[in-house]
Amino acid sequence: QVQLVESGGGLVQAGGSLRLACAASGRTFSSYIMGWFRQAAGKEREFVAAISWSGARTTYADSVKGRFTISRDNAKNTVDLQMNSLKPEDTAVYYCAATTFTAYLPTTPTRYQYWGPGTQVTVSS
């Protein structure tokens, strides 16, 4: 089993930056594809970014491409999400997720097996 815990959320002004971290525990962390999702109040959970087990491949939602960067450090069992040029519409609870799926980088929540409890990100205008 894999346990995930997010940190780094908070309140920032539009145009600012924030870095989220996901700490994982359990075995075989490096073999998991990792993803970030977010869920705004009254909205469905949506894909943000994903990264392959090696870190060589990444994919992003169109809404965050060019502003957000996902990275991982398998030696430390961590996955980060660097968020720049934040907009009010980025306000949401952000979740870290892990999957053993390997064919491609999943962008749907149903493909991910393990989830953290989430961390709130609020962007003011």
Side-chain angles (χ1 to χ4, degrees):
Q1 188 176 356
V2 175
Q3 292 77 232
L4 307 173
V5 180
E6 305 92 341
S7 63
L11 175 65
V12 297
Q13 295 182 18
S17 298
L18 201 62
R19 192 186 200 205
L20 305 183
C22 174
S25 61
R27 293 187 179 276
T28 327
F29 171 78
S30 63
S31 69
Y32 289 85
I33 289 172
M34 302 294 295
W36 284 96
F37 292 79
R38 66 188 183 186
Q39 187 166 19
K43 298 285 188 177
E44 67 190 41
R45 189 166 297 189
E46 68 175 359
F47 172 75
V48 176
I51 187 167
S52 65
W53 63 268
S54 68
R57 293 179 295 130
T58 59
T59 190
Y60 299 89
D62 288 343
S63 59
V64 307
K65 191 174 181 62
R67 300 188 298 121
F68 291 10
T69 302
I70 188 171
S71 61
R72 71 190 297 163
D73 186 337
N74 291 337
K76 297 179 180 179
N77 287 353
T78 57
V79 179
D80 289 355
L81 184 69
Q82 178 65 48
M83 305 185 294
N84 299 325
S85 302
L86 284 162
K87 306 174 181 179
E89 51 262 46
D90 294 319
T91 295
V93 176
Y94 283 70
Y95 298 91
C96 177
T99 181
T100 57
F101 188 80
T102 58
Y104 56 87
L105 297 178
T107 59
T108 57
T110 55
R111 286 290 191 183
Y112 288 81
Q113 300 164 295
Y114 305 101
W115 294 83
T119 186
Q120 177 70 47
V121 171
T122 303
V123 184
S124 62
S125 60

PDB file of all heavy atoms in Angstrom, residues 55-77:
ATOM      1  N   GLY A  55      10.423   9.962 -14.546  1.00  0.00           N
ATOM      2  CA  GLY A  55      10.442  11.402 -14.649  1.00  0.00           C
ATOM      3  C   GLY A  55      10.698  11.914 -16.050  1.00  0.00           C
ATOM      4  O   GLY A  55      10.685  13.128 -16.280  1.00  0.00           O
ATOM      5  N   ALA A  56      10.912  11.008 -16.998  1.00  0.00           N
ATOM      6  CA  ALA A  56      11.248  11.406 -18.361  1.00  0.00           C
ATOM      7  C   ALA A  56      10.051  11.955 -19.131  1.00  0.00           C
ATOM      8  O   ALA A  56      10.226  12.742 -20.059  1.00  0.00           O
ATOM      9  CB  ALA A  56      11.848  10.230 -19.119  1.00  0.00           C
ATOM     10  N   ARG A  57       8.870  11.524 -18.788  1.00  0.00           N
ATOM     11  CA  ARG A  57       7.669  11.967 -19.476  1.00  0.00           C
ATOM     12  C   ARG A  57       6.738  12.707 -18.531  1.00  0.00           C
ATOM     13  O   ARG A  57       6.541  12.294 -17.390  1.00  0.00           O
ATOM     14  CB  ARG A  57       6.923  10.774 -20.093  1.00  0.00           C
ATOM     15  CG  ARG A  57       7.667  10.092 -21.229  1.00  0.00           C
ATOM     16  CD  ARG A  57       6.866   8.916 -21.768  1.00  0.00           C
ATOM     17  NE  ARG A  57       6.725   7.861 -20.772  1.00  0.00           N
ATOM     18  CZ  ARG A  57       5.569   7.290 -20.455  1.00  0.00           C
ATOM     19  NH1 ARG A  57       4.458   7.648 -21.070  1.00  0.00           N
ATOM     20  NH2 ARG A  57       5.546   6.338 -19.532  1.00  0.00           N
ATOM     21  N   THR A  58       6.188  13.783 -19.026  1.00  0.00           N
ATOM     22  CA  THR A  58       5.204  14.553 -18.275  1.00  0.00           C
ATOM     23  C   THR A  58       4.078  14.974 -19.200  1.00  0.00           C
ATOM     24  O   THR A  58       4.248  15.046 -20.416  1.00  0.00           O
ATOM     25  CB  THR A  58       5.813  15.815 -17.637  1.00  0.00           C
ATOM     26  OG1 THR A  58       6.368  16.643 -18.667  1.00  0.00           O
ATOM     27  CG2 THR A  58       6.900  15.450 -16.641  1.00  0.00           C
ATOM     28  N   THR A  59       2.937  15.244 -18.628  1.00  0.00           N
ATOM     29  CA  THR A  59       1.829  15.784 -19.392  1.00  0.00           C
ATOM     30  C   THR A  59       1.038  16.735 -18.499  1.00  0.00           C
ATOM     31  O   THR A  59       0.998  16.562 -17.276  1.00  0.00           O
ATOM     32  CB  THR A  59       0.934  14.670 -19.957  1.00  0.00           C
ATOM     33  OG1 THR A  59      -0.003  15.224 -20.884  1.00  0.00           O
ATOM     34  CG2 THR A  59       0.179  13.953 -18.848  1.00  0.00           C
ATOM     35  N   TYR A  60       0.430  17.743 -19.125  1.00  0.00           N
ATOM     36  CA  TYR A  60      -0.259  18.784 -18.388  1.00  0.00           C
ATOM     37  C   TYR A  60      -1.613  19.091 -19.002  1.00  0.00           C
ATOM     38  O   TYR A  60      -1.811  18.963 -20.213  1.00  0.00           O
ATOM     39  CB  TYR A  60       0.556  20.077 -18.384  1.00  0.00           C
ATOM     40  CG  TYR A  60       1.905  19.955 -17.729  1.00  0.00           C
ATOM     41  CD1 TYR A  60       3.022  19.577 -18.460  1.00  0.00           C
ATOM     42  CD2 TYR A  60       2.056  20.220 -16.369  1.00  0.00           C
ATOM     43  CE1 TYR A  60       4.261  19.461 -17.857  1.00  0.00           C
ATOM     44  CE2 TYR A  60       3.294  20.107 -15.759  1.00  0.00           C
ATOM     45  CZ  TYR A  60       4.392  19.729 -16.518  1.00  0.00           C
ATOM     46  OH  TYR A  60       5.617  19.620 -15.910  1.00  0.00           O
ATOM     47  N   ALA A  61      -2.523  19.514 -18.158  1.00  0.00           N
ATOM     48  CA  ALA A  61      -3.774  20.056 -18.662  1.00  0.00           C
ATOM     49  C   ALA A  61      -3.489  21.346 -19.417  1.00  0.00           C
ATOM     50  O   ALA A  61      -2.571  22.098 -19.074  1.00  0.00           O
ATOM     51  CB  ALA A  61      -4.741  20.322 -17.510  1.00  0.00           C
ATOM     52  N   ASP A  62      -4.271  21.610 -20.448  1.00  0.00           N
ATOM     53  CA  ASP A  62      -4.069  22.821 -21.242  1.00  0.00           C
ATOM     54  C   ASP A  62      -4.153  24.087 -20.385  1.00  0.00           C
ATOM     55  O   ASP A  62      -3.463  25.075 -20.651  1.00  0.00           O
ATOM     56  CB  ASP A  62      -5.101  22.897 -22.367  1.00  0.00           C
ATOM     57  CG  ASP A  62      -4.840  21.880 -23.463  1.00  0.00           C
ATOM     58  OD1 ASP A  62      -3.722  21.347 -23.544  1.00  0.00           O
ATOM     59  OD2 ASP A  62      -5.778  21.621 -24.248  1.00  0.00           O
ATOM     60  N   SER A  63      -4.976  24.047 -19.363  1.00  0.00           N
ATOM     61  CA  SER A  63      -5.188  25.217 -18.535  1.00  0.00           C
ATOM     62  C   SER A  63      -3.968  25.609 -17.702  1.00  0.00           C
ATOM     63  O   SER A  63      -3.876  26.751 -17.245  1.00  0.00           O
ATOM     64  CB  SER A  63      -6.388  24.998 -17.605  1.00  0.00           C
ATOM     65  OG  SER A  63      -6.177  23.867 -16.777  1.00  0.00           O
ATOM     66  N   VAL A  64      -3.033  24.675 -17.505  1.00  0.00           N
ATOM     67  CA  VAL A  64      -1.866  24.958 -16.673  1.00  0.00           C
ATOM     68  C   VAL A  64      -0.554  24.846 -17.429  1.00  0.00           C
ATOM     69  O   VAL A  64       0.499  25.215 -16.882  1.00  0.00           O
ATOM     70  CB  VAL A  64      -1.817  24.053 -15.430  1.00  0.00           C
ATOM     71  CG1 VAL A  64      -3.123  24.129 -14.652  1.00  0.00           C
ATOM     72  CG2 VAL A  64      -1.505  22.606 -15.819  1.00  0.00           C
ATOM     73  N   LYS A  65      -0.582  24.360 -18.645  1.00  0.00           N
ATOM     74  CA  LYS A  65       0.641  24.169 -19.414  1.00  0.00           C
ATOM     75  C   LYS A  65       1.382  25.490 -19.583  1.00  0.00           C
ATOM     76  O   LYS A  65       0.791  26.505 -19.948  1.00  0.00           O
ATOM     77  CB  LYS A  65       0.320  23.567 -20.776  1.00  0.00           C
ATOM     78  CG  LYS A  65       1.543  23.100 -21.537  1.00  0.00           C
ATOM     79  CD  LYS A  65       1.156  22.371 -22.805  1.00  0.00           C
ATOM     80  CE  LYS A  65       2.379  21.878 -23.564  1.00  0.00           C
ATOM     81  NZ  LYS A  65       3.162  20.891 -22.768  1.00  0.00           N
ATOM     82  N   GLY A  66       2.671  25.454 -19.312  1.00  0.00           N
ATOM     83  CA  GLY A  66       3.486  26.648 -19.378  1.00  0.00           C
ATOM     84  C   GLY A  66       3.576  27.394 -18.066  1.00  0.00           C
ATOM     85  O   GLY A  66       4.449  28.258 -17.909  1.00  0.00           O
ATOM     86  N   ARG A  67       2.692  27.084 -17.135  1.00  0.00           N
ATOM     87  CA  ARG A  67       2.695  27.733 -15.827  1.00  0.00           C
ATOM     88  C   ARG A  67       3.081  26.786 -14.699  1.00  0.00           C
ATOM     89  O   ARG A  67       3.730  27.192 -13.737  1.00  0.00           O
ATOM     90  CB  ARG A  67       1.319  28.330 -15.521  1.00  0.00           C
ATOM     91  CG  ARG A  67       0.869  29.379 -16.525  1.00  0.00           C
ATOM     92  CD  ARG A  67      -0.408  30.074 -16.049  1.00  0.00           C
ATOM     93  NE  ARG A  67      -1.531  29.135 -15.923  1.00  0.00           N
ATOM     94  CZ  ARG A  67      -2.196  28.914 -14.799  1.00  0.00           C
ATOM     95  NH1 ARG A  67      -1.872  29.557 -13.682  1.00  0.00           N
ATOM     96  NH2 ARG A  67      -3.213  28.051 -14.779  1.00  0.00           N
ATOM     97  N   PHE A  68       2.672  25.523 -14.807  1.00  0.00           N
ATOM     98  CA  PHE A  68       2.937  24.537 -13.768  1.00  0.00           C
ATOM     99  C   PHE A  68       4.005  23.559 -14.239  1.00  0.00           C
ATOM    100  O   PHE A  68       4.103  23.238 -15.428  1.00  0.00           O
ATOM    101  CB  PHE A  68       1.675  23.738 -13.432  1.00  0.00           C
ATOM    102  CG  PHE A  68       0.595  24.510 -12.728  1.00  0.00           C
ATOM    103  CD1 PHE A  68       0.647  25.892 -12.593  1.00  0.00           C
ATOM    104  CD2 PHE A  68      -0.490  23.834 -12.187  1.00  0.00           C
ATOM    105  CE1 PHE A  68      -0.352  26.596 -11.945  1.00  0.00           C
ATOM    106  CE2 PHE A  68      -1.498  24.520 -11.535  1.00  0.00           C
ATOM    107  CZ  PHE A  68      -1.434  25.899 -11.413  1.00  0.00           C
ATOM    108  N   THR A  69       4.785  23.049 -13.298  1.00  0.00           N
ATOM    109  CA  THR A  69       5.794  22.053 -13.596  1.00  0.00           C
ATOM    110  C   THR A  69       5.746  20.941 -12.559  1.00  0.00           C
ATOM    111  O   THR A  69       5.823  21.210 -11.354  1.00  0.00           O
ATOM    112  CB  THR A  69       7.208  22.655 -13.612  1.00  0.00           C
ATOM    113  OG1 THR A  69       7.269  23.717 -14.569  1.00  0.00           O
ATOM    114  CG2 THR A  69       8.239  21.595 -13.992  1.00  0.00           C
ATOM    115  N   ILE A  70       5.622  19.705 -13.016  1.00  0.00           N
ATOM    116  CA  ILE A  70       5.638  18.557 -12.127  1.00  0.00           C
ATOM    117  C   ILE A  70       7.026  17.926 -12.152  1.00  0.00           C
ATOM    118  O   ILE A  70       7.674  17.869 -13.199  1.00  0.00           O
ATOM    119  CB  ILE A  70       4.553  17.526 -12.519  1.00  0.00           C
ATOM    120  CG1 ILE A  70       4.451  16.413 -11.474  1.00  0.00           C
ATOM    121  CG2 ILE A  70       4.808  16.953 -13.909  1.00  0.00           C
ATOM    122  CD1 ILE A  70       3.261  15.477 -11.694  1.00  0.00           C
ATOM    123  N   SER A  71       7.485  17.467 -11.005  1.00  0.00           N
ATOM    124  CA  SER A  71       8.782  16.812 -10.914  1.00  0.00           C
ATOM    125  C   SER A  71       8.737  15.758  -9.814  1.00  0.00           C
ATOM    126  O   SER A  71       7.833  15.766  -8.975  1.00  0.00           O
ATOM    127  CB  SER A  71       9.893  17.828 -10.648  1.00  0.00           C
ATOM    128  OG  SER A  71       9.683  18.498  -9.416  1.00  0.00           O
ATOM    129  N   ARG A  72       9.703  14.863  -9.836  1.00  0.00           N
ATOM    130  CA  ARG A  72       9.747  13.836  -8.795  1.00  0.00           C
ATOM    131  C   ARG A  72      11.177  13.523  -8.412  1.00  0.00           C
ATOM    132  O   ARG A  72      12.108  13.688  -9.200  1.00  0.00           O
ATOM    133  CB  ARG A  72       9.028  12.559  -9.243  1.00  0.00           C
ATOM    134  CG  ARG A  72       9.744  11.761 -10.317  1.00  0.00           C
ATOM    135  CD  ARG A  72       8.839  10.644 -10.856  1.00  0.00           C
ATOM    136  NE  ARG A  72       8.495   9.681  -9.819  1.00  0.00           N
ATOM    137  CZ  ARG A  72       7.491   8.803  -9.911  1.00  0.00           C
ATOM    138  NH1 ARG A  72       6.729   8.790 -10.998  1.00  0.00           N
ATOM    139  NH2 ARG A  72       7.253   7.959  -8.917  1.00  0.00           N
ATOM    140  N   ASP A  73      11.340  13.071  -7.192  1.00  0.00           N
ATOM    141  CA  ASP A  73      12.624  12.626  -6.678  1.00  0.00           C
ATOM    142  C   ASP A  73      12.370  11.271  -6.030  1.00  0.00           C
ATOM    143  O   ASP A  73      11.895  11.193  -4.899  1.00  0.00           O
ATOM    144  CB  ASP A  73      13.189  13.624  -5.673  1.00  0.00           C
ATOM    145  CG  ASP A  73      14.595  13.277  -5.230  1.00  0.00           C
ATOM    146  OD1 ASP A  73      14.994  12.104  -5.325  1.00  0.00           O
ATOM    147  OD2 ASP A  73      15.314  14.192  -4.782  1.00  0.00           O
ATOM    148  N   ASN A  74      12.669  10.221  -6.760  1.00  0.00           N
ATOM    149  CA  ASN A  74      12.363   8.877  -6.273  1.00  0.00           C
ATOM    150  C   ASN A  74      13.184   8.494  -5.048  1.00  0.00           C
ATOM    151  O   ASN A  74      12.723   7.711  -4.221  1.00  0.00           O
ATOM    152  CB  ASN A  74      12.576   7.855  -7.391  1.00  0.00           C
ATOM    153  CG  ASN A  74      11.556   7.986  -8.493  1.00  0.00           C
ATOM    154  OD1 ASN A  74      10.462   8.513  -8.282  1.00  0.00           O
ATOM    155  ND2 ASN A  74      11.904   7.510  -9.681  1.00  0.00           N
ATOM    156  N   ALA A  75      14.383   9.035  -4.937  1.00  0.00           N
ATOM    157  CA  ALA A  75      15.211   8.747  -3.775  1.00  0.00           C
ATOM    158  C   ALA A  75      14.592   9.295  -2.501  1.00  0.00           C
ATOM    159  O   ALA A  75      14.779   8.734  -1.421  1.00  0.00           O
ATOM    160  CB  ALA A  75      16.612   9.310  -3.972  1.00  0.00           C
ATOM    161  N   LYS A  76      13.859  10.393  -2.629  1.00  0.00           N
ATOM    162  CA  LYS A  76      13.209  11.020  -1.483  1.00  0.00           C
ATOM    163  C   LYS A  76      11.726  10.678  -1.384  1.00  0.00           C
ATOM    164  O   LYS A  76      11.058  11.118  -0.449  1.00  0.00           O
ATOM    165  CB  LYS A  76      13.376  12.535  -1.542  1.00  0.00           C
ATOM    166  CG  LYS A  76      14.817  13.005  -1.458  1.00  0.00           C
ATOM    167  CD  LYS A  76      14.906  14.516  -1.545  1.00  0.00           C
ATOM    168  CE  LYS A  76      16.341  14.994  -1.460  1.00  0.00           C
ATOM    169  NZ  LYS A  76      16.432  16.475  -1.568  1.00  0.00           N
ATOM    170  N   ASN A  77      11.217   9.930  -2.345  1.00  0.00           N
ATOM    171  CA  ASN A  77       9.792   9.581  -2.379  1.00  0.00           C
ATOM    172  C   ASN A  77       8.900  10.819  -2.372  1.00  0.00           C
ATOM    173  O   ASN A  77       7.925  10.905  -1.619  1.00  0.00           O
ATOM    174  CB  ASN A  77       9.424   8.666  -1.213  1.00  0.00           C
ATOM    175  CG  ASN A  77       9.940   7.259  -1.373  1.00  0.00           C
ATOM    176  OD1 ASN A  77      10.485   6.893  -2.416  1.00  0.00           O
ATOM    177  ND2 ASN A  77       9.778   6.446  -0.352  1.00  0.00           N
TER     178      ASN A  77
END
